[in-house]
Amino acid sequence: MVVPTYDEVENIAWIIDRLHAAQPGVEVLVVDDASPDGTGRVADALAADDPRVHVLHRSGKGGLGAAYLAGFAWALAEGYDVVGEMDADGSHQPEQLSRLLTALEHADLVIGSRWVPGGSVVNWPWQREVLSRGGNLYVRLLLGIDVRDATAGYRLFRRTTLEKIDLDEVRSTGYVFQTDLVARTLRAGLTVTEVPIEFVERIRGDSKMSGQVALESLRRITQWGLRERLAHLRGRR
């Protein structure tokens, strides 16, 4: 599991302990963007004590997508057959990872979804839920994809999926990265499956997501989506 971090010193050991309690055989790569609170040092200490923990240090805060791309490149180079995404703050519950692992038997990408039947969110204000649901509806209409939670960040990819969608061509580095990879996976003719999860708002540390960040992500999705549609239309001529 690739776990990007920026100022998650209160959460990183806690979430890795939970992950290994739920799935002892899963290895973790912490991708730390030079957290000033010392998250990277804590991750290094965990890695020194546990061979299932690895750490990739980046020189600065370069965006969620960029952190994941670095983590994916490391995992592919190390020969892993399944590569996952998970937040460090506990919003993605490790105890539910088994749902994604089971679904991966018949899929190329599995998404832990808040907005399929059985999915839910805990401790969200109604405004944030409306923004997320509305944003995902907008993504479905703009890109023409049948995925209800394309912005979700709890995922499992097969190695073959990441190789087929050509990560070297991915330019999105922020939160639009999640939508980008869903669209690329579907465009490659691969199977995307959503399984319901309970998404829990963090109880420690500061969230990196705000209304302003979400709106900026939608703006970038619009720009990217329109470029993709235009390129597709030109290609059909």
Side-chain angles (χ1 to χ4, degrees), residues 35 62 101 150:
S35 297
L101 288 165

Side-chain angles (χ1 to χ4, degrees), residues 42-151:
V42 172
D44 284 337
L46 295 171
D49 290 337
D50 190 337
R52 297 172 297 177
V53 180
H54 313 275
V55 186
L56 181 61
H57 294 279
R58 295 184 354 114
S59 59
K61 191 176 183 182
L64 182 71
Y68 272 128
L69 287 174
F72 292 167
W74 182 92
L76 292 175
E78 292 294 318
Y80 292 92
D81 292 325
V82 175
V83 184
E85 301 181 13
M86 187 175 72
D87 288 351
D89 61 9
S91 56
H92 300 144
Q93 299 180 72
E95 296 79 10
Q96 297 182 348
L97 180 57
S98 59
R99 302 180 186 181
L100 281 69
L101 288 165
T102 298
L104 193 65
E105 295 175 8
H106 305 289
D108 300 296
L109 163 60
V110 177
I111 299 173
S113 176
R114 299 160 291 188
W115 309 131
V116 294
S120 62
V121 295
V122 176
N123 296 329
W124 265 22
W126 67 266
Q127 298 94 328
R128 187 171 176 186
E129 180 169 344
V130 167
L131 184 60
S132 180
R133 286 184 180 272
N136 274 287
L137 174 61
Y138 178 68
V139 165
R140 292 201 302 278
L141 295 174
L142 177 67
L143 301 181
I145 62 176
D146 187 23
V147 175
R148 299 192 65 84
D149 202 352
T151 62

Side-chain angles (χ1 to χ4, degrees), residues 196-237:
I197 62 162
E198 180 186 65
F199 182 99
V200 181
E201 179 66 3
R202 70 160 67 229
I203 59 175
R204 294 180 294 198
D206 296 323
S207 175
K208 313 304 185 295
M209 176 59 75
S210 65
Q212 183 177 357
V213 169
L215 290 172
E216 174 63 14
S217 296
L218 288 177
R219 184 182 71 82
R220 292 185 178 276
I221 286 171
T222 301
Q223 294 172 337
W224 170 71
L226 291 176
R227 283 199 304 267
E228 291 289 303
R229 283 291 185 94
L230 181 59
H232 179 68
L233 290 173
R234 286 173 174 170
R236 293 173 60 183
R237 291 176 182 175

